[in-house]
Amino acid sequence: MLIAPPALDADVADVADLAPVSTPLVPAAVDRESEDALDAARASSSPAGRADGGLGFDDLARLLNSFRLLMLNHSRVLDHQGDLFGLGDTDIRFLFYVSATGDSVTPKRAADYLDLSSGAMTNLVDRLVDAGYLDRRRNPDDRRSVIVSRTPRGVEVTGAIAAVYGAAFAEVVPASQHRVLADTLLDLGQAFDRHGVGASPAAPAAA
């Protein structure tokens, strides 16, 4: 779930929540052991990590290692932001998905996207409605189902979390490259699905 916290399908991608909000955000507290592990991994993938000045990895291997570090940082940010607002990772992913659909989605569609059972989705909706992050109303097109949308509190939370990621992208990625990178990330997410979800597992090599 790279950002917005989960990567969204191209047809529901939404950047409206990247507007900064006034909610104060506290930097994530990281234990020393985790920081040492990150420093060691960064050193191994940088030219300075080898005495001979070489990369130590070919370009693709270095890219994979950098992506692994990015996912680790992303997970830490989600954990910390979730702690601030009393939300779990799945709660956050669901709120961003509701946002990306224009605040009008059925639990069944969301369950398919999040790969949750109908029972787990019902519990998730109930919990977020009770906590004041979601509203639930009757679906005008199918009275057997409901439509969920964010409340003002839900909008505030997704805006605050998105602002963290927006600030990081703005700091590192030049504005002239935002569109190209956005397209690349969408293509990469679709490639992950093709190679890691739809594909059959590779057979083990013969002994």
Side-chain angles (χ1 to χ4, degrees), residues 44 49-50 68 79 93 101-102 108 151-153 162 172 175 180 184 190 193 205:
S44 71
R50 284 171 51 101
R68 178 180 63 80
D79 287 345
R93 292 175 62 204
T101 59
K108 183 181 185 305
T151 62
R153 185 180 184 188
V172 175
V180 172
T184 299
Q190 292 168 1
D193 278 344

PDB file of all heavy atoms in Angstrom, residues 44 49-50 68 79 93 101-102 108 151-153 162 172 175 180 184 190 193 205:
ATOM      1  N   SER A  44      26.414  -0.436   1.665  1.00  0.00           N
ATOM      2  CA  SER A  44      26.671  -1.552   0.757  1.00  0.00           C
ATOM      3  C   SER A  44      26.237  -1.258  -0.656  1.00  0.00           C
ATOM      4  O   SER A  44      26.723  -1.876  -1.600  1.00  0.00           O
ATOM      5  CB  SER A  44      25.970  -2.816   1.262  1.00  0.00           C
ATOM      6  OG  SER A  44      24.565  -2.697   1.112  1.00  0.00           O
ATOM      7  N   GLY A  49      30.940   2.215  -0.317  1.00  0.00           N
ATOM      8  CA  GLY A  49      30.828   0.994   0.451  1.00  0.00           C
ATOM      9  C   GLY A  49      31.899  -0.028   0.140  1.00  0.00           C
ATOM     10  O   GLY A  49      31.998  -1.047   0.805  1.00  0.00           O
ATOM     11  N   ARG A  50      32.736   0.213  -0.888  1.00  0.00           N
ATOM     12  CA  ARG A  50      33.808  -0.710  -1.244  1.00  0.00           C
ATOM     13  C   ARG A  50      35.125   0.013  -1.235  1.00  0.00           C
ATOM     14  O   ARG A  50      35.232   1.173  -1.628  1.00  0.00           O
ATOM     15  CB  ARG A  50      33.556  -1.306  -2.639  1.00  0.00           C
ATOM     16  CG  ARG A  50      32.468  -2.387  -2.664  1.00  0.00           C
ATOM     17  CD  ARG A  50      32.123  -2.776  -4.090  1.00  0.00           C
ATOM     18  NE  ARG A  50      33.308  -3.104  -4.879  1.00  0.00           N
ATOM     19  CZ  ARG A  50      33.687  -4.345  -5.137  1.00  0.00           C
ATOM     20  NH1 ARG A  50      33.018  -5.371  -4.668  1.00  0.00           N
ATOM     21  NH2 ARG A  50      34.750  -4.569  -5.873  1.00  0.00           N
ATOM     22  N   ARG A  68      14.142  -1.741  -1.666  1.00  0.00           N
ATOM     23  CA  ARG A  68      13.914  -2.413  -0.382  1.00  0.00           C
ATOM     24  C   ARG A  68      14.006  -1.403   0.767  1.00  0.00           C
ATOM     25  O   ARG A  68      13.178  -1.401   1.689  1.00  0.00           O
ATOM     26  CB  ARG A  68      14.941  -3.528  -0.185  1.00  0.00           C
ATOM     27  CG  ARG A  68      14.820  -4.264   1.138  1.00  0.00           C
ATOM     28  CD  ARG A  68      15.880  -5.356   1.254  1.00  0.00           C
ATOM     29  NE  ARG A  68      17.225  -4.802   1.247  1.00  0.00           N
ATOM     30  CZ  ARG A  68      17.806  -4.266   2.315  1.00  0.00           C
ATOM     31  NH1 ARG A  68      17.154  -4.198   3.462  1.00  0.00           N
ATOM     32  NH2 ARG A  68      19.034  -3.801   2.240  1.00  0.00           N
ATOM     33  N   ASP A  79       3.574   3.101  10.045  1.00  0.00           N
ATOM     34  CA  ASP A  79       3.413   2.680  11.436  1.00  0.00           C
ATOM     35  C   ASP A  79       3.326   3.888  12.358  1.00  0.00           C
ATOM     36  O   ASP A  79       2.483   3.944  13.262  1.00  0.00           O
ATOM     37  CB  ASP A  79       4.586   1.791  11.862  1.00  0.00           C
ATOM     38  CG  ASP A  79       4.519   0.403  11.255  1.00  0.00           C
ATOM     39  OD1 ASP A  79       3.441   0.028  10.744  1.00  0.00           O
ATOM     40  OD2 ASP A  79       5.543  -0.302  11.280  1.00  0.00           O
ATOM     41  N   ARG A  93      -4.805   2.295   4.358  1.00  0.00           N
ATOM     42  CA  ARG A  93      -4.966   1.938   2.943  1.00  0.00           C
ATOM     43  C   ARG A  93      -6.412   2.102   2.509  1.00  0.00           C
ATOM     44  O   ARG A  93      -6.703   2.599   1.405  1.00  0.00           O
ATOM     45  CB  ARG A  93      -4.516   0.501   2.703  1.00  0.00           C
ATOM     46  CG  ARG A  93      -3.029   0.243   2.860  1.00  0.00           C
ATOM     47  CD  ARG A  93      -2.711  -1.228   2.727  1.00  0.00           C
ATOM     48  NE  ARG A  93      -3.055  -1.731   1.411  1.00  0.00           N
ATOM     49  CZ  ARG A  93      -3.323  -3.012   1.146  1.00  0.00           C
ATOM     50  NH1 ARG A  93      -3.338  -3.888   2.124  1.00  0.00           N
ATOM     51  NH2 ARG A  93      -3.612  -3.384  -0.079  1.00  0.00           N
ATOM     52  N   THR A 101     -11.408   7.021  -4.859  1.00  0.00           N
ATOM     53  CA  THR A 101     -12.613   6.728  -5.633  1.00  0.00           C
ATOM     54  C   THR A 101     -13.602   7.892  -5.594  1.00  0.00           C
ATOM     55  O   THR A 101     -14.742   7.741  -6.039  1.00  0.00           O
ATOM     56  CB  THR A 101     -13.309   5.467  -5.095  1.00  0.00           C
ATOM     57  OG1 THR A 101     -13.663   5.658  -3.726  1.00  0.00           O
ATOM     58  CG2 THR A 101     -12.415   4.251  -5.226  1.00  0.00           C
ATOM     59  N   GLY A 102     -13.190   9.025  -5.063  1.00  0.00           N
ATOM     60  CA  GLY A 102     -14.080  10.178  -4.998  1.00  0.00           C
ATOM     61  C   GLY A 102     -15.069  10.092  -3.853  1.00  0.00           C
ATOM     62  O   GLY A 102     -16.156  10.648  -3.926  1.00  0.00           O
ATOM     63  N   LYS A 108     -17.889  -3.959  -1.087  1.00  0.00           N
ATOM     64  CA  LYS A 108     -17.496  -5.101  -1.919  1.00  0.00           C
ATOM     65  C   LYS A 108     -16.356  -4.733  -2.849  1.00  0.00           C
ATOM     66  O   LYS A 108     -15.383  -5.488  -2.993  1.00  0.00           O
ATOM     67  CB  LYS A 108     -18.691  -5.594  -2.743  1.00  0.00           C
ATOM     68  CG  LYS A 108     -18.366  -6.834  -3.585  1.00  0.00           C
ATOM     69  CD  LYS A 108     -19.554  -7.286  -4.400  1.00  0.00           C
ATOM     70  CE  LYS A 108     -19.232  -8.591  -5.143  1.00  0.00           C
ATOM     71  NZ  LYS A 108     -18.016  -8.486  -5.986  1.00  0.00           N
ATOM     72  N   THR A 151     -15.470  11.106   6.412  1.00  0.00           N
ATOM     73  CA  THR A 151     -16.000  12.235   7.168  1.00  0.00           C
ATOM     74  C   THR A 151     -14.954  13.351   7.138  1.00  0.00           C
ATOM     75  O   THR A 151     -13.827  13.148   6.659  1.00  0.00           O
ATOM     76  CB  THR A 151     -16.241  11.827   8.622  1.00  0.00           C
ATOM     77  OG1 THR A 151     -14.971  11.458   9.207  1.00  0.00           O
ATOM     78  CG2 THR A 151     -17.213  10.659   8.719  1.00  0.00           C
ATOM     79  N   PRO A 152     -15.286  14.543   7.631  1.00  0.00           N
ATOM     80  CA  PRO A 152     -14.244  15.589   7.738  1.00  0.00           C
ATOM     81  C   PRO A 152     -13.017  15.111   8.497  1.00  0.00           C
ATOM     82  O   PRO A 152     -11.885  15.467   8.150  1.00  0.00           O
ATOM     83  CB  PRO A 152     -14.971  16.717   8.472  1.00  0.00           C
ATOM     84  CG  PRO A 152     -16.403  16.566   8.036  1.00  0.00           C
ATOM     85  CD  PRO A 152     -16.627  15.072   7.967  1.00  0.00           C
ATOM     86  N   ARG A 153     -13.228  14.296   9.514  1.00  0.00           N
ATOM     87  CA  ARG A 153     -12.080  13.758  10.252  1.00  0.00           C
ATOM     88  C   ARG A 153     -11.264  12.828   9.372  1.00  0.00           C
ATOM     89  O   ARG A 153     -10.023  12.840   9.412  1.00  0.00           O
ATOM     90  CB  ARG A 153     -12.566  13.017  11.495  1.00  0.00           C
ATOM     91  CG  ARG A 153     -11.435  12.519  12.402  1.00  0.00           C
ATOM     92  CD  ARG A 153     -11.965  11.784  13.619  1.00  0.00           C
ATOM     93  NE  ARG A 153     -10.894  11.397  14.513  1.00  0.00           N
ATOM     94  CZ  ARG A 153     -11.047  10.616  15.565  1.00  0.00           C
ATOM     95  NH1 ARG A 153     -12.263  10.143  15.864  1.00  0.00           N
ATOM     96  NH2 ARG A 153     -10.022  10.296  16.327  1.00  0.00           N
ATOM     97  N   ALA A 162      -0.845  12.235   3.679  1.00  0.00           N
ATOM     98  CA  ALA A 162      -0.391  12.524   2.312  1.00  0.00           C
ATOM     99  C   ALA A 162       0.601  13.667   2.292  1.00  0.00           C
ATOM    100  O   ALA A 162       1.524  13.685   1.466  1.00  0.00           O
ATOM    101  CB  ALA A 162      -1.588  12.844   1.420  1.00  0.00           C
ATOM    102  N   VAL A 172      12.883  15.870  -2.803  1.00  0.00           N
ATOM    103  CA  VAL A 172      13.859  15.063  -3.537  1.00  0.00           C
ATOM    104  C   VAL A 172      13.672  15.109  -5.049  1.00  0.00           C
ATOM    105  O   VAL A 172      14.647  15.092  -5.804  1.00  0.00           O
ATOM    106  CB  VAL A 172      13.793  13.596  -3.050  1.00  0.00           C
ATOM    107  CG1 VAL A 172      14.713  12.700  -3.876  1.00  0.00           C
ATOM    108  CG2 VAL A 172      14.162  13.514  -1.572  1.00  0.00           C
ATOM    109  N   ALA A 175      10.206  19.367  -9.645  1.00  0.00           N
ATOM    110  CA  ALA A 175       8.834  19.471 -10.136  1.00  0.00           C
ATOM    111  C   ALA A 175       8.719  19.046 -11.592  1.00  0.00           C
ATOM    112  O   ALA A 175       7.709  18.466 -12.001  1.00  0.00           O
ATOM    113  CB  ALA A 175       8.318  20.898  -9.958  1.00  0.00           C
ATOM    114  N   VAL A 180       6.623  12.433 -14.947  1.00  0.00           N
ATOM    115  CA  VAL A 180       7.335  11.252 -15.452  1.00  0.00           C
ATOM    116  C   VAL A 180       7.447  10.194 -14.364  1.00  0.00           C
ATOM    117  O   VAL A 180       7.214   9.006 -14.608  1.00  0.00           O
ATOM    118  CB  VAL A 180       8.736  11.650 -15.963  1.00  0.00           C
ATOM    119  CG1 VAL A 180       9.559  10.409 -16.300  1.00  0.00           C
ATOM    120  CG2 VAL A 180       8.622  12.551 -17.188  1.00  0.00           C
ATOM    121  N   THR A 184       5.903   6.414 -14.188  1.00  0.00           N
ATOM    122  CA  THR A 184       6.801   5.280 -13.954  1.00  0.00           C
ATOM    123  C   THR A 184       6.325   4.433 -12.786  1.00  0.00           C
ATOM    124  O   THR A 184       6.338   3.202 -12.847  1.00  0.00           O
ATOM    125  CB  THR A 184       8.232   5.779 -13.685  1.00  0.00           C
ATOM    126  OG1 THR A 184       8.712   6.502 -14.832  1.00  0.00           O
ATOM    127  CG2 THR A 184       9.174   4.613 -13.411  1.00  0.00           C
ATOM    128  N   GLN A 190       1.886  -1.897 -11.970  1.00  0.00           N
ATOM    129  CA  GLN A 190       1.243  -2.863 -12.857  1.00  0.00           C
ATOM    130  C   GLN A 190       2.179  -4.025 -13.185  1.00  0.00           C
ATOM    131  O   GLN A 190       1.743  -5.179 -13.283  1.00  0.00           O
ATOM    132  CB  GLN A 190       0.782  -2.157 -14.132  1.00  0.00           C
ATOM    133  CG  GLN A 190      -0.350  -1.164 -13.878  1.00  0.00           C
ATOM    134  CD  GLN A 190      -0.607  -0.249 -15.066  1.00  0.00           C
ATOM    135  OE1 GLN A 190       0.034  -0.352 -16.102  1.00  0.00           O
ATOM    136  NE2 GLN A 190      -1.564   0.674 -14.904  1.00  0.00           N
ATOM    137  N   ASP A 193       2.175  -6.488 -10.378  1.00  0.00           N
ATOM    138  CA  ASP A 193       1.013  -7.373 -10.461  1.00  0.00           C
ATOM    139  C   ASP A 193       1.241  -8.488 -11.485  1.00  0.00           C
ATOM    140  O   ASP A 193       0.918  -9.653 -11.244  1.00  0.00           O
ATOM    141  CB  ASP A 193      -0.239  -6.578 -10.827  1.00  0.00           C
ATOM    142  CG  ASP A 193      -0.868  -5.889  -9.629  1.00  0.00           C
ATOM    143  OD1 ASP A 193      -0.529  -6.263  -8.488  1.00  0.00           O
ATOM    144  OD2 ASP A 193      -1.688  -4.980  -9.835  1.00  0.00           O
ATOM    145  N   ALA A 205      15.281 -24.733  -9.230  1.00  0.00           N
ATOM    146  CA  ALA A 205      16.283 -25.288 -10.137  1.00  0.00           C
ATOM    147  C   ALA A 205      16.563 -26.743  -9.780  1.00  0.00           C
ATOM    148  O   ALA A 205      16.563 -27.140  -8.619  1.00  0.00           O
ATOM    149  CB  ALA A 205      17.568 -24.451 -10.037  1.00  0.00           C
TER     150      ALA A 205
END
